[in-house]
Amino acid sequence: QKEVEQDPGPLSVPEGAIVSLNCTYSNSAFQYFMWYRQYSRKGPELLMYTYSSGNKEDGRFTAQVDKSSKYISLFIRDSQPSDSATYLCAMSGRAGNMLTFGGGTRLMVKP
Amino acid sequence: ETGVTQSPTHLIKTRGQQVTLRCSSQSGHNTVSWYQQALGQGPQFIFQYYREEENGRGNFPPRFSGLQFPNYSSELNVNALELDDSALYLCASSSGTIGETQYFGPGTRLLVL
């Protein structure tokens, strides 16, 4: 079993929909949680960074962390075709240390 | 402020050869991490360098080695290339301070034939 599990998708939604992306993990030492967006053949781009449990909002994006359930989520409001990409969750036990990634969820937002 | 840069962008090698990939960290960052991303998978941690010293290593064999230079740029060397080494190799830099995360370069796509 992988340390971080993520549904690979693809997830297809109409433009304007609310998107929910999720990851589960098994290592209780993880304290820092990130979401990256990766366009085809590009490097990952940091979207959200959260420490420990709680919610964080940035524009159309909201990240949630539930450490008791070992479950993290990313919500995208008013999704746009430009949001079509692969979304990677990542986590670490100490800031700046190695990141453990999920396998990524491919999202397609249709006009 | 320039971001993380990597060279070359693409590379084709044959099995058994050796390859060197290069990374320039973001201005002000002293920590560089390397990741391997196979097609359709998430990145896997190879190793990290902090102030020219290896500071953690993932589950990769010794034929994967690295260097960090005084200007904090870095190299990843892979010897005796295997077909399974075909992947996108990502470099990420960070300041190493608490609360800071890693910022990725565009990657080098390596194809081993």
Side-chain angles (χ1 to χ4, degrees):
Chain A
Q1 186 184 5
K2 295 181 180 179
E3 271 192 299
V4 180
E5 297 279 0
Q6 189 174 4
D7 187 330
L11 178 61
S12 182
V13 301
E15 183 176 354
I18 297 174
V19 175
S20 173
L21 304 167
N22 311 293
C23 287
T24 59
Y25 63 95
S26 57
N27 188 342
S28 58
F30 289 142
Q31 299 179 58
Y32 298 91
F33 304 90
M34 288 132 268
W35 286 95
Y36 286 86
R37 177 174 62 195
Q38 186 174 29
Y39 292 111
S40 181
R41 298 183 173 272
K42 302 290 186 183
E45 169 196 10
L46 180 67
L47 282 177
M48 300 289 283
Y49 180 94
T50 311
Y51 169 66
S52 195
S53 286
N55 294 356
K56 185 173 183 180
E57 188 173 324
D58 184 1
R60 296 185 296 114
F61 300 93
T62 299
Q64 288 185 351
V65 175
D66 182 349
K67 289 189 70 179
S68 62
S69 301
K70 296 189 178 66
Y71 187 87
I72 70 171
S73 301
L74 177 71
F75 297 95
I76 307 174
R77 290 182 298 280
D78 188 26
S79 57
Q80 303 294 310
S82 59
D83 294 328
S84 298
T86 295
Y87 289 79
L88 297 157
C89 64
M91 42 201 82
S92 69
R94 182 171 65 90
N97 212 329
M98 62 171 282
L99 296 179
T100 302
F101 282 85
T105 298
R106 185 176 162 213
L107 171 66
M108 296 185 294
V109 181
K110 297 186 175 180
Chain B
E1 180 180 286
T2 56
V4 179
T5 60
Q6 292 185 244
S7 62
T9 56
H10 297 84
L11 204 53
I12 300 175
K13 292 284 188 178
T14 56
R15 196 171 50 181
Q17 284 188 312
Q18 178 265 342
V19 68
T20 298
L21 310 181
R22 294 177 175 84
C23 170
S24 291
S25 59
Q26 187 168 313
S27 176
H29 287 180
N30 57 20
T31 302
V32 171
S33 304
W34 287 92
Y35 293 81
Q36 180 195 66
Q37 186 177 23
L39 196 63
Q41 298 182 26
Q44 283 196 294
F45 175 74
I46 302 174
F47 43 58
Q48 182 181 86
Y49 279 84
Y50 170 70
R51 295 186 174 181
E52 303 179 60
E53 297 284 334
E54 188 176 290
N55 185 40
R57 187 179 183 93
N59 189 25
F60 280 80
R63 58 189 187 84
F64 286 78
S65 63
L67 281 175
Q68 188 179 32
F69 301 99
N71 66 355
Y72 303 129
S73 66
S74 178
E75 285 183 356
L76 164 65
N77 299 290
V78 186
N79 294 321
L81 284 167
E82 299 177 0
L83 298 179
D84 284 350
D85 295 334
S86 296
L88 181 67
Y89 287 85
L90 296 161
C91 168
S93 76
S94 60
S95 66
T97 56
I98 299 297
E100 184 61 86
T101 191
Q102 298 179 27
Y103 296 89
F104 284 82
T108 293
R109 188 162 297 279
L110 172 65
L111 178 61
V112 182
L113 301 176

Short mmCIF file of all heavy atoms in Angstrom, two decimals, chain A residues 2 38 41-42 44 86 88 101-104, chain B residues 34-46 60 64 83-90 108-111:
data_model
loop_
_atom_site.label_atom_id
_atom_site.label_comp_id
_atom_site.label_asym_id
_atom_site.label_seq_id
_atom_site.Cartn_x
_atom_site.Cartn_y
_atom_site.Cartn_z
N LYS A 2 0.53 2.22 -0.85
CA LYS A 2 1.30 3.45 -0.93
C LYS A 2 1.02 4.32 0.28
O LYS A 2 -0.06 4.27 0.86
CB LYS A 2 0.92 4.21 -2.21
CG LYS A 2 1.31 3.48 -3.49
CD LYS A 2 0.93 4.31 -4.71
CE LYS A 2 1.33 3.59 -5.98
NZ LYS A 2 0.95 4.37 -7.18
N GLN A 38 -0.06 20.45 -12.22
CA GLN A 38 0.94 20.13 -13.24
C GLN A 38 0.27 20.05 -14.60
O GLN A 38 -0.55 19.16 -14.83
CB GLN A 38 1.67 18.83 -12.91
CG GLN A 38 2.82 18.51 -13.84
CD GLN A 38 3.62 17.29 -13.41
OE1 GLN A 38 3.09 16.38 -12.80
NE2 GLN A 38 4.91 17.27 -13.75
N ARG A 41 3.61 17.88 -19.47
CA ARG A 41 5.02 18.06 -19.82
C ARG A 41 5.64 19.30 -19.16
O ARG A 41 6.60 19.87 -19.68
CB ARG A 41 5.21 18.09 -21.32
CG ARG A 41 4.79 16.78 -21.98
CD ARG A 41 5.05 16.78 -23.46
NE ARG A 41 4.79 15.45 -24.02
CZ ARG A 41 5.68 14.47 -24.08
NH1 ARG A 41 6.90 14.66 -23.63
NH2 ARG A 41 5.36 13.30 -24.58
N LYS A 42 5.08 19.71 -18.02
CA LYS A 42 5.64 20.84 -17.26
C LYS A 42 5.95 20.40 -15.85
O LYS A 42 5.54 19.33 -15.40
CB LYS A 42 4.62 22.00 -17.22
CG LYS A 42 4.19 22.51 -18.58
CD LYS A 42 5.31 23.24 -19.26
CE LYS A 42 4.81 23.86 -20.56
NZ LYS A 42 5.89 24.54 -21.31
N PRO A 44 5.62 20.71 -11.65
CA PRO A 44 4.52 21.02 -10.73
C PRO A 44 4.60 22.47 -10.25
O PRO A 44 5.68 22.97 -9.96
CB PRO A 44 4.74 20.05 -9.57
CG PRO A 44 5.59 18.96 -10.12
CD PRO A 44 6.46 19.61 -11.14
N THR A 86 -3.23 18.03 -14.17
CA THR A 86 -3.12 16.99 -13.15
C THR A 86 -2.83 17.65 -11.82
O THR A 86 -1.95 18.52 -11.74
CB THR A 86 -2.00 15.99 -13.50
OG1 THR A 86 -2.36 15.28 -14.70
CG2 THR A 86 -1.80 14.98 -12.38
N LEU A 88 -1.65 17.20 -7.97
CA LEU A 88 -0.84 16.32 -7.12
C LEU A 88 -0.93 16.78 -5.67
O LEU A 88 -0.69 17.96 -5.39
CB LEU A 88 0.63 16.37 -7.55
CG LEU A 88 0.97 15.87 -8.95
CD1 LEU A 88 2.28 16.48 -9.42
CD2 LEU A 88 1.07 14.36 -8.95
N PHE A 101 4.47 12.24 -2.61
CA PHE A 101 3.38 12.64 -3.49
C PHE A 101 2.36 11.52 -3.65
O PHE A 101 2.68 10.33 -3.59
CB PHE A 101 3.93 12.96 -4.89
CG PHE A 101 4.57 14.31 -5.00
CD1 PHE A 101 5.91 14.48 -4.67
CD2 PHE A 101 3.86 15.39 -5.47
CE1 PHE A 101 6.51 15.72 -4.80
CE2 PHE A 101 4.46 16.63 -5.60
CZ PHE A 101 5.78 16.81 -5.26
N GLY A 102 1.12 11.93 -3.91
CA GLY A 102 0.14 11.02 -4.45
C GLY A 102 0.39 10.85 -5.93
O GLY A 102 1.26 11.53 -6.51
N GLY A 103 -0.35 9.94 -6.55
CA GLY A 103 -0.13 9.67 -7.97
C GLY A 103 -0.71 10.71 -8.91
O GLY A 103 -0.41 10.69 -10.11
N GLY A 104 -1.52 11.64 -8.36
CA GLY A 104 -2.09 12.69 -9.19
C GLY A 104 -3.48 12.34 -9.69
O GLY A 104 -3.78 11.17 -9.97
N TRP B 34 15.85 16.51 -5.69
CA TRP B 34 15.63 15.89 -7.00
C TRP B 34 14.54 14.83 -6.88
O TRP B 34 14.50 14.07 -5.90
CB TRP B 34 16.91 15.24 -7.52
CG TRP B 34 17.95 16.22 -7.99
CD1 TRP B 34 18.97 16.77 -7.26
CD2 TRP B 34 18.07 16.75 -9.31
NE1 TRP B 34 19.71 17.61 -8.05
CE2 TRP B 34 19.19 17.62 -9.31
CE3 TRP B 34 17.37 16.58 -10.51
CZ2 TRP B 34 19.61 18.31 -10.46
CZ3 TRP B 34 17.78 17.26 -11.64
CH2 TRP B 34 18.90 18.12 -11.62
N TYR B 35 13.68 14.79 -7.91
CA TYR B 35 12.60 13.84 -7.96
C TYR B 35 12.56 13.18 -9.34
O TYR B 35 12.89 13.82 -10.34
CB TYR B 35 11.25 14.52 -7.71
CG TYR B 35 11.08 15.07 -6.31
CD1 TYR B 35 11.63 16.29 -5.95
CD2 TYR B 35 10.37 14.36 -5.34
CE1 TYR B 35 11.50 16.79 -4.67
CE2 TYR B 35 10.22 14.85 -4.05
CZ TYR B 35 10.79 16.07 -3.72
OH TYR B 35 10.64 16.55 -2.45
N GLN B 36 12.10 11.94 -9.37
CA GLN B 36 11.88 11.22 -10.62
C GLN B 36 10.37 11.03 -10.79
O GLN B 36 9.70 10.56 -9.87
CB GLN B 36 12.56 9.85 -10.58
CG GLN B 36 12.37 9.03 -11.84
CD GLN B 36 12.73 7.57 -11.64
OE1 GLN B 36 12.08 6.84 -10.89
NE2 GLN B 36 13.78 7.12 -12.32
N GLN B 37 9.85 11.41 -11.95
CA GLN B 37 8.43 11.24 -12.21
C GLN B 37 8.24 10.38 -13.46
O GLN B 37 8.45 10.85 -14.58
CB GLN B 37 7.72 12.58 -12.38
CG GLN B 37 6.21 12.45 -12.50
CD GLN B 37 5.50 13.79 -12.60
OE1 GLN B 37 6.08 14.79 -12.99
NE2 GLN B 37 4.22 13.81 -12.22
N ALA B 38 7.84 9.13 -13.26
CA ALA B 38 7.51 8.25 -14.38
C ALA B 38 6.17 8.68 -14.96
O ALA B 38 5.36 9.33 -14.29
CB ALA B 38 7.47 6.81 -13.91
N LEU B 39 5.94 8.31 -16.20
CA LEU B 39 4.73 8.73 -16.90
C LEU B 39 3.48 8.25 -16.16
O LEU B 39 3.37 7.08 -15.80
CB LEU B 39 4.76 8.16 -18.32
CG LEU B 39 3.79 8.78 -19.33
CD1 LEU B 39 4.12 10.25 -19.53
CD2 LEU B 39 3.85 8.04 -20.65
N GLY B 40 2.58 9.19 -15.88
CA GLY B 40 1.32 8.83 -15.23
C GLY B 40 1.40 8.63 -13.72
O GLY B 40 0.43 8.18 -13.11
N GLN B 41 2.56 8.95 -13.13
CA GLN B 41 2.74 8.77 -11.69
C GLN B 41 3.15 10.07 -11.02
O GLN B 41 3.52 11.04 -11.69
CB GLN B 41 3.79 7.69 -11.43
CG GLN B 41 3.41 6.33 -11.98
CD GLN B 41 4.45 5.28 -11.66
OE1 GLN B 41 5.19 5.39 -10.70
NE2 GLN B 41 4.49 4.23 -12.48
N GLY B 42 3.09 10.09 -9.70
CA GLY B 42 3.56 11.24 -8.96
C GLY B 42 5.08 11.21 -8.82
O GLY B 42 5.70 10.16 -8.98
N PRO B 43 5.69 12.36 -8.57
CA PRO B 43 7.15 12.40 -8.39
C PRO B 43 7.60 11.56 -7.19
O PRO B 43 6.90 11.50 -6.18
CB PRO B 43 7.43 13.89 -8.15
CG PRO B 43 6.26 14.61 -8.75
CD PRO B 43 5.10 13.69 -8.53
N GLN B 44 8.78 10.95 -7.33
CA GLN B 44 9.38 10.19 -6.22
C GLN B 44 10.70 10.84 -5.84
O GLN B 44 11.53 11.14 -6.72
CB GLN B 44 9.64 8.75 -6.66
CG GLN B 44 8.39 7.88 -6.69
CD GLN B 44 8.75 6.41 -6.72
OE1 GLN B 44 9.32 5.94 -7.70
NE2 GLN B 44 8.47 5.70 -5.66
N PHE B 45 10.89 11.01 -4.54
CA PHE B 45 12.07 11.68 -4.01
C PHE B 45 13.32 10.85 -4.25
O PHE B 45 13.37 9.66 -3.90
CB PHE B 45 11.86 11.91 -2.52
CG PHE B 45 13.02 12.50 -1.78
CD1 PHE B 45 13.36 13.84 -1.93
CD2 PHE B 45 13.79 11.73 -0.92
CE1 PHE B 45 14.41 14.39 -1.24
CE2 PHE B 45 14.84 12.28 -0.21
CZ PHE B 45 15.16 13.61 -0.38
N ILE B 46 14.36 11.50 -4.83
CA ILE B 46 15.64 10.82 -5.05
C ILE B 46 16.60 11.18 -3.92
O ILE B 46 17.07 10.31 -3.18
CB ILE B 46 16.26 11.20 -6.41
CG1 ILE B 46 15.30 10.86 -7.55
CG2 ILE B 46 17.60 10.47 -6.60
CD1 ILE B 46 15.79 11.33 -8.92
N PHE B 60 16.52 4.94 -3.94
CA PHE B 60 17.15 4.85 -5.25
C PHE B 60 18.54 4.24 -5.10
O PHE B 60 19.22 4.50 -4.10
CB PHE B 60 17.25 6.23 -5.90
CG PHE B 60 15.96 6.68 -6.54
CD1 PHE B 60 14.94 7.21 -5.76
CD2 PHE B 60 15.75 6.52 -7.90
CE1 PHE B 60 13.74 7.59 -6.34
CE2 PHE B 60 14.55 6.90 -8.49
CZ PHE B 60 13.54 7.45 -7.69
N PHE B 64 22.55 6.47 -8.78
CA PHE B 64 22.00 7.83 -8.77
C PHE B 64 22.83 8.63 -7.75
O PHE B 64 22.83 8.30 -6.56
CB PHE B 64 20.53 7.86 -8.35
CG PHE B 64 19.58 7.37 -9.39
CD1 PHE B 64 19.42 6.01 -9.62
CD2 PHE B 64 18.83 8.26 -10.14
CE1 PHE B 64 18.55 5.55 -10.60
CE2 PHE B 64 17.94 7.81 -11.11
CZ PHE B 64 17.81 6.45 -11.33
N LEU B 83 16.40 1.00 -18.90
CA LEU B 83 15.20 1.45 -19.61
C LEU B 83 14.22 2.13 -18.65
O LEU B 83 13.58 3.13 -19.00
CB LEU B 83 14.52 0.28 -20.32
CG LEU B 83 15.33 -0.42 -21.40
CD1 LEU B 83 14.54 -1.56 -22.01
CD2 LEU B 83 15.78 0.55 -22.49
N ASP B 84 14.10 1.58 -17.42
CA ASP B 84 13.17 2.13 -16.43
C ASP B 84 13.57 3.50 -15.90
O ASP B 84 12.81 4.12 -15.17
CB ASP B 84 13.04 1.16 -15.25
CG ASP B 84 12.18 -0.04 -15.59
OD1 ASP B 84 11.54 0.00 -16.68
OD2 ASP B 84 12.15 -1.00 -14.82
N ASP B 85 14.76 3.97 -16.26
CA ASP B 85 15.17 5.32 -15.85
C ASP B 85 14.51 6.39 -16.72
O ASP B 85 14.64 7.59 -16.43
CB ASP B 85 16.69 5.47 -15.93
CG ASP B 85 17.42 4.56 -14.95
OD1 ASP B 85 16.83 4.21 -13.90
OD2 ASP B 85 18.58 4.19 -15.25
N SER B 86 13.84 5.98 -17.76
CA SER B 86 13.11 6.94 -18.61
C SER B 86 12.03 7.61 -17.77
O SER B 86 11.15 6.93 -17.22
CB SER B 86 12.47 6.22 -19.80
OG SER B 86 13.44 5.66 -20.64
N ALA B 87 12.09 8.93 -17.67
CA ALA B 87 11.18 9.66 -16.78
C ALA B 87 11.43 11.15 -16.93
O ALA B 87 12.36 11.58 -17.62
CB ALA B 87 11.39 9.25 -15.33
N LEU B 88 10.59 11.92 -16.25
CA LEU B 88 10.82 13.35 -16.10
C LEU B 88 11.57 13.56 -14.79
O LEU B 88 11.11 13.11 -13.73
CB LEU B 88 9.48 14.10 -16.06
CG LEU B 88 9.53 15.62 -15.92
CD1 LEU B 88 10.13 16.27 -17.16
CD2 LEU B 88 8.13 16.18 -15.65
N TYR B 89 12.71 14.21 -14.84
CA TYR B 89 13.51 14.46 -13.64
C TYR B 89 13.31 15.91 -13.22
O TYR B 89 13.60 16.84 -13.98
CB TYR B 89 14.99 14.14 -13.88
CG TYR B 89 15.18 12.64 -13.95
CD1 TYR B 89 14.99 11.96 -15.15
CD2 TYR B 89 15.50 11.91 -12.82
CE1 TYR B 89 15.13 10.58 -15.21
CE2 TYR B 89 15.63 10.53 -12.87
CZ TYR B 89 15.44 9.87 -14.08
OH TYR B 89 15.56 8.51 -14.13
N LEU B 90 12.82 16.07 -12.01
CA LEU B 90 12.45 17.38 -11.49
C LEU B 90 13.40 17.81 -10.40
O LEU B 90 13.78 17.02 -9.53
CB LEU B 90 11.03 17.33 -10.92
CG LEU B 90 9.92 17.04 -11.93
CD1 LEU B 90 8.67 16.57 -11.23
CD2 LEU B 90 9.63 18.30 -12.75
N THR B 108 13.62 17.79 -16.71
CA THR B 108 14.36 17.25 -17.86
C THR B 108 13.74 15.92 -18.20
O THR B 108 13.64 15.03 -17.34
CB THR B 108 15.85 17.04 -17.54
OG1 THR B 108 16.47 18.30 -17.33
CG2 THR B 108 16.54 16.30 -18.68
N ARG B 109 13.32 15.78 -19.44
CA ARG B 109 12.70 14.52 -19.87
C ARG B 109 13.79 13.63 -20.45
O ARG B 109 14.41 13.98 -21.45
CB ARG B 109 11.61 14.77 -20.89
CG ARG B 109 10.81 13.51 -21.22
CD ARG B 109 9.47 13.83 -21.88
NE ARG B 109 8.59 14.58 -21.01
CZ ARG B 109 7.83 14.04 -20.07
NH1 ARG B 109 7.88 12.75 -19.84
NH2 ARG B 109 7.03 14.81 -19.35
N LEU B 110 14.02 12.49 -19.81
CA LEU B 110 15.05 11.54 -20.22
C LEU B 110 14.40 10.31 -20.83
O LEU B 110 13.50 9.72 -20.23
CB LEU B 110 15.91 11.13 -19.02
CG LEU B 110 16.92 10.00 -19.24
CD1 LEU B 110 18.00 10.43 -20.24
CD2 LEU B 110 17.55 9.57 -17.92
N LEU B 111 14.87 9.95 -22.00
CA LEU B 111 14.42 8.73 -22.65
C LEU B 111 15.62 7.81 -22.82
O LEU B 111 16.64 8.20 -23.38
CB LEU B 111 13.80 9.03 -24.02
CG LEU B 111 13.34 7.84 -24.85
CD1 LEU B 111 12.25 7.06 -24.12
CD2 LEU B 111 12.85 8.28 -26.22
#
